[in-house]
Amino acid sequence: MQPVWDDDGVSGAFADAFETWVDRVGGEVVESDADHVRAEFPATDEQMMTGVGVYAANGRHMLRFETVREELELKMLTRFEVADDQLIVQSDKGSRTFSFDGGDGEWRVEKHPI
């Protein structure tokens, strides 16, 4: 896994991989700067409109995921991987993992004791 953040904010590696993943799975990057990047995926017959992104606020690194029915914010997720249609973001020690499959809209959060 690679770092989501560097000394200047969102890492270039994450921004590039995130944008490539969003394009591949039919979403649109709607915000992007040094402190945050966010994408939206339009509603289809199979899934509702979804938004996902990372941002820095109050010294914390946050991930925000939202649908019409759900909102989820997770802090301190700092490493990422893109695998096929999935974006996977986790904490440094792997105690928390968020994954979102942009192709089918499936997502999950896992917490493991360390």
Side-chain angles (χ1 to χ4, degrees):
M1 297 197 116
Q2 299 178 49
V4 173
W5 306 93
D6 62 20
D7 293 337
D8 298 322
V10 175
S11 75
F14 178 78
D16 292 345
F18 185 81
E19 290 181 20
T20 300
W21 169 73
V22 169
D23 288 342
R24 185 172 60 243
V25 296
E28 177 184 2
V29 175
V30 294
E31 298 177 67
S32 182
D33 65 27
D35 292 325
H36 71 285
V37 61
R38 182 174 178 279
E40 290 182 353
F41 300 86
T44 66
D45 291 341
E46 293 81 35
Q47 71 184 56
M48 62 187 84
M49 191 283 298
T50 305
V52 65
V54 298
Y55 66 96
N58 300 323
R60 295 184 177 172
H61 296 137
M62 309 287 289
L63 176 130
R64 181 171 176 83
F65 176 79
E66 58 199 335
T67 69
V68 173
R69 295 186 183 130
E70 300 150 320
E71 289 184 17
L72 175 69
E73 282 190 323
L74 300 170
K75 61 183 173 185
M76 303 311 288
L77 298 181
T78 58
R79 303 189 66 72
F80 82 95
E81 178 180 343
V82 173
D84 299 319
D85 288 350
Q86 277 196 333
L87 172 69
I88 303 162
V89 186
Q90 74 177 188
S91 63
D92 278 337
K93 296 180 180 178
S95 63
R96 288 173 292 140
T97 303
F98 169 84
S99 62
F100 175 57
D101 188 318
D104 64 17
E106 294 291 322
W107 65 277
R108 84 174 174 251
V109 175
E110 295 178 15
K111 294 174 100 175
H112 304 281
I114 52 171

